[in-house]
Amino acid sequence: NLHSFPARRSSDLELGNPYLLPEYTYTSELTYTYKDQNSLTLGYSVATNQIDEITLQDNASQEVIYQYENLNSNRNLYAELYIPWKMTSWWTSTADLNVTYTSISGNASYGVFSNKGTSTDVNYTNAFQLGNGYSAQLGFRYIGPAVGGISTYKSRERLTMGIKRSFLSNRLTATVRVADLLFTDKIH
């Protein structure tokens, strides 16, 4: 947010920052694929001048102020495992597991800080071919505790469901999806 004019976010104040520097991310990955399906990826990324939203409080007015600032660096070391299964002729499943170690350090307007942690992300999806142009999908995702910028997030999960109907020899589709069926995916 480069604008220099203050804006209201409900009762809080959002300030722009015309002095933001560009963020650069350098990533290296090595992927091994087994039988053209299963894969294991190992990776490392470094972000310099990471842009993150900083929350401050004006003690005189008790007003919360949001402003984007550059942090020094963000380093991630990660491993991802992807496995698909063909359960039957009409049912397929995929599992995706990602484990990431994150180390963030910086100089925010309130001082020097460091934030480190390991996070886990598990995504399991089932796809069903129901016949007569109908298909359905049911998925579960777990996002473990994680760090991001100056913030630390608790774990959360979500259950998703969708159904699709194809028409006109698969040239037209209608889809209905529910992204968080149990209302459990709240960032906190």
Side-chain angles (χ1 to χ4, degrees):
N1 188 343
L2 297 174
H3 69 80
S4 56
F5 298 103
R8 288 277 164 206
R9 184 194 285 183
S10 65
S11 63
D12 303 327
L13 184 64
E14 182 176 346
L15 296 177
N17 185 348
Y19 304 107
L20 285 174
L21 300 172
E23 175 181 323
Y24 295 102
T25 303
Y26 306 93
T27 303
S28 296
E29 287 187 342
L30 178 64
T31 300
Y32 173 73
T33 304
Y34 179 72
K35 293 188 177 180
D36 291 326
Q37 293 183 19
N38 306 305
S39 66
L40 173 64
T41 300
L42 302 175
Y44 180 73
S45 69
V46 177
T48 58
N49 295 326
Q50 178 184 340
I51 298 172
D52 195 27
E53 187 177 59
I54 305 296
T55 306
L56 304 167
Q57 180 176 329
D58 182 342
N59 290 331
S61 67
Q62 296 295 308
E63 189 170 48
V64 176
I65 301 169
Y66 298 95
Q67 183 174 20
Y68 286 92
E69 293 187 8
N70 289 107
L71 308 179
N72 290 0
S73 71
N74 180 350
R75 298 175 188 278
N76 294 293
L77 178 63
Y78 56 92
E80 181 173 16
L81 179 64
Y82 174 79
I83 303 173
W85 290 282
K86 186 169 179 99
M87 308 297 241
T88 67
S89 61
W90 51 272
W91 176 16
T92 58
S93 292
T94 59
D96 190 9
L97 169 66
N98 184 302
V99 178
T100 302
Y101 173 76
T102 301
S103 175
I104 302 167
S105 63
N107 232 348
S109 54
Y110 52 79
V112 176
F113 77 95
S114 177
N115 202 1
K116 298 176 182 179
T118 301
S119 62
T120 305
D121 189 337
V122 179
N123 197 2
Y124 183 69
T125 304
N126 293 281
F128 307 96
Q129 297 300 321
L130 304 176
N132 296 323
Y134 285 95
S135 61
Q137 192 174 54
L138 181 65
F140 174 77
R141 184 170 182 194
Y142 169 79
I143 303 166
V147 297
I150 63 167
S151 303
T152 302
Y153 302 99
K154 294 181 181 177
S155 64
R156 59 191 206 273
E157 59 281 329
R158 93 170 61 128
L159 184 63
T160 60
M161 187 173 72
I163 190 159
K164 179 168 77 171
R165 170 75 160 104
S166 297
F167 304 93
L168 302 172
S169 301
N170 292 328
R171 292 183 301 215
L172 177 68
T173 61
T175 305
V176 175
R177 288 189 189 123
V178 179
D180 186 12
L181 197 61
L182 303 176
F183 304 105
T184 55
D185 189 5
K186 295 173 180 53
I187 296 176
H188 47 270

